[in-house]
Amino acid sequence: MAAIQGEWLKALAPEFRKPYYRKLYETVKKEYATRIIYPPSEDLFSAYEATPLEQVKVVILGQDPYHEPGQAHGMCFSVRPGVEIPPSLQNIYQELHEDLGCDMPDNGYLMKWARQGVFLLNTVLTVRAHAANSHRGIGWEEFTDASIRALNEQDRPIVYLLWGRPAQQKMTLLNNPKQLVLTAPHPSPLSAYRGFFGCRHFSKANAFLEAQGITPIDWQIDDVGYGQGHI
């Protein structure tokens, strides 16, 4: 499986020595060997790779990876260019359009955000094909809790965008007075109209960063220039 490096590795190294992580590792290794698991094992920690700990400005917390073929690549809500934009991400783009006037892009690849310091973390990092939440409770929650504690311990401003109940359950880990926590319903079609639309989290996050003298996020995802049928 993929490995975590850099400052993330320093922060999370104690987790790798704990009994729960050894059990988690063995469970996930067996799952990859015997079932179809998403994301591909080489993409397991791609959110950590794309956004080093010391560069995190904003955290978006998802639930678990997309569970259909070709979707998940280790960063919450993101799909690679050429993959059809999932409904939740379409709603995120709609809110971005209403909030900041961003154009609707032709793809769902959020690497541009990640490279600017938007950490795209799921609370659970793997899933069985066609079975949402199938890896809930096997140990990932403890590992991602440790990741959030590492962020909470950073002595600098960070914004957390917690959408939906699973993400908001992490609020108990966040108590850094230099950091901002924003909450809203999940952007899925089932709940977006209950308050995700109109939350204006993107402009609020940028206003907070700018007030701290930090370069804001350019939320506009660029077109890749070809249709949805190409992967």
Side-chain angles (χ1 to χ4, degrees):
M1 291 191 295
I4 288 179
Q5 301 177 344
E7 293 299 312
W8 277 121
L9 178 58
K10 293 180 184 177
L12 296 173
E15 302 304 303
F16 300 133
R17 296 189 288 271
K18 294 180 180 179
Y20 90 86
Y21 191 86
R22 173 50 53 183
K23 184 178 178 181
L24 170 64
Y25 178 86
E26 294 298 335
T27 299
V28 171
K29 184 178 178 181
K30 182 178 179 181
E31 286 282 287
Y32 272 112
T34 59
R35 295 177 178 268
I36 298 174
I37 302 299
Y38 300 127
S41 60
E42 64 269 20
D43 291 334
L44 184 57
F45 295 122
S46 62
Y48 295 84
E49 181 180 350
T51 313
L53 175 59
E54 67 275 17
Q55 296 178 19
V56 174
K57 298 179 181 179
V58 178
V59 179
I60 297 179
L61 197 56
Q63 186 168 300
D64 66 338
Y66 295 127
H67 52 80
E68 296 302 324
Q71 292 183 315
H73 68 98
M75 292 159 46
C76 74
F77 295 109
S78 181
V79 293
R80 294 192 191 279
V83 178
E84 185 175 356
I85 301 171
S88 292
L89 184 53
Q90 291 181 24
N91 288 339
I92 290 170
Y93 284 163
Q94 182 175 332
E95 174 60 21
L96 264 172
H97 177 70
E98 297 297 324
D99 187 9
L100 290 172
C102 292
D103 295 328
M104 293 286 186
D106 65 3
N107 68 97
Y109 192 45
L110 304 182
M111 183 62 79
K112 179 180 177 181
W113 294 358
R115 288 178 174 153
Q116 295 179 80
V118 181
F119 185 44
L120 298 167
L121 180 67
N122 279 311
T123 58
V124 173
L125 300 188
T126 53
V127 68
R128 289 179 180 173
H130 319 301
N133 287 321
S134 48
H135 279 180
R136 181 174 55 191
I138 67 171
W140 281 128
E141 292 91 345
E142 193 165 348
F143 183 76
T144 55
D145 279 359
S147 304
I148 292 167
R149 282 194 294 270
L151 290 160
N152 183 68
E153 291 167 4
Q154 298 293 298
D155 186 27
R156 56 190 174 83
I158 294 174
V159 186
Y160 301 85
L161 308 185
L162 306 184
W163 300 333
R165 190 170 300 162
Q168 290 166 21
Q169 287 173 344
K170 303 289 192 182
M171 285 180 64
T172 57
L173 304 172
L174 300 172
N175 59 9
N176 188 327
K178 293 186 176 182
Q179 300 178 355
L180 175 67
V181 179
L182 300 174
T183 64
H186 195 275
S188 79
L190 296 174
S191 55
Y193 287 95
R194 298 178 191 157
F196 177 78
F197 290 135
C199 70
R200 302 184 66 84
H201 277 187
F202 305 101
S203 60
K204 290 176 181 177
N206 276 357
F208 176 79
L209 293 173
E210 289 184 284
Q212 310 299 320
I214 298 170
T215 303
I217 305 300
D218 175 6
W219 293 104
Q220 177 66 62
I221 295 296
D222 302 315
D223 286 347
V224 293
Y226 53 69
Q228 296 288 349
H230 179 79
I231 296 179

